[in-house]
Amino acid sequence: LALRMAERAAACLRTENGELHIVPPSACDAAMERDGVRANPPRGTGERSWWLQQIVARSPLEIWPRLFGRPPRELVRLKIPDWGREVMAGWVRATVLQGDPEWARVLFAWDPLADLLAVLPRREREDVAAGFVRRHGLDGQLIMVLGGAAAPWGPDLALAVLEKILQVSGTQPWNLSELSRLAGERIDPALYGMAERLSPEPPIQEVAALLRFRDDMLKELQ
């Protein structure tokens, strides 16, 4: 199955003058359907776009460096004049399905998604998430990325999130609730002291109080 998908994908993609050129399938034949490619796209998605995404998503990731002689970090930076969104979506799906940390690393730098973050080893996942929190403003994407960082959060990610709470409390106090909730639920409760010492500001002290409560509760249950 993987080999058949790889052959289909290779027929759709080629490099020329440093660009990635795409020719999506013109039809979804019976063989493709037998291999699991769904012919009917979701509402709002074109047929050829849908078939292309599925083929790329189901192809082994190791075929791309072999086909084009480039590592993943270079492949994702290639200019794709047409059908680029579909190819990248297929690579993201393949990375999640195949659990490939190298591809997850380079694709997260291109499009920070919680599913990609979850593919990385735990220690690296927290480092990457902490860096993203420090660079990114508070919005829905940041909350979704943090959703991919499994609890309990260690010191580096915890500090990055607490500092973000402190920053936002002075600029967007109305927008703190979800970030504070995540911090209280996912930071390692043993780090309550770090939160208490960071700042006397109420939002930080509220998170610290919740962490202390969780730490006390866990000790009682042991």
Side-chain angles (χ1 to χ4, degrees):
L1 175 60
L3 287 173
R4 291 194 298 273
M5 286 296 183
E7 289 173 358
R8 292 183 180 109
C12 293
L13 284 72
R14 62 182 174 83
T15 53
E16 183 179 313
N17 298 324
E19 296 181 348
L20 194 58
H21 292 269
I22 318 295
V23 180
S26 57
C28 183
D29 58 30
M32 288 168 61
E33 290 197 66
R34 282 197 301 270
D35 282 346
V37 176
R38 288 176 286 169
N40 297 320
R43 185 185 297 272
T45 302
E47 288 183 333
R48 299 183 74 194
S49 170
W50 178 234
W51 302 332
L52 176 64
Q53 285 184 55
Q54 292 181 83
I55 288 171
V56 174
R58 293 164 187 253
S59 298
L61 287 165
E62 62 264 23
I63 72 166
W64 306 113
R66 291 206 304 267
L67 277 174
F68 301 124
R70 299 170 184 262
R73 68 178 180 276
E74 293 182 13
L75 286 170
V76 300
R77 293 175 185 157
L78 286 174
K79 182 180 179 181
I80 308 177
D82 298 297
W83 307 99
R85 187 169 59 100
E86 289 78 6
V87 170
M88 299 300 280
W91 278 343
V92 167
R93 183 61 179 156
T95 297
V96 173
L97 290 173
Q98 297 170 41
D100 190 301
E102 182 181 10
W103 278 87
R105 203 170 291 125
V106 297
L107 287 170
F108 185 87
W110 170 76
D111 187 12
L113 297 172
D115 286 347
L116 292 170
L117 187 68
V119 174
L120 297 173
R122 184 180 182 90
R123 179 69 63 86
E124 183 180 0
R125 186 188 315 156
E126 291 210 358
D127 290 344
V128 170
F132 182 76
V133 170
R134 291 188 174 104
R135 294 189 307 271
H136 201 79
L138 177 57
D139 59 12
Q141 186 179 36
L142 185 140
I143 296 299
M144 289 180 66
V145 165
L146 287 174
W153 294 345
D156 192 39
L157 180 54
L159 181 59
V161 172
L162 290 170
E163 288 175 342
K164 182 65 69 176
I165 290 173
L166 190 58
Q167 173 192 339
V168 173
S169 69
T171 57
Q172 307 172 49
W174 62 88
N175 205 20
L176 271 178
S177 59
E178 187 66 14
L179 185 60
S180 296
R181 182 188 67 79
L182 280 172
E185 291 178 357
R186 299 203 176 193
I187 291 174
D188 185 343
L191 297 175
Y192 69 85
M194 180 180 75
E196 288 177 339
R197 293 187 295 272
L198 180 65
S199 170
E201 289 296 316
I204 297 295
Q205 291 302 310
E206 288 169 10
V207 172
L210 179 54
L211 294 175
R212 180 189 280 273
F213 173 77
R214 289 177 56 214
D215 187 64
D216 290 341
M217 182 174 62
L218 288 171
K219 287 174 180 174
E220 289 295 326
L221 291 172
Q222 289 175 354

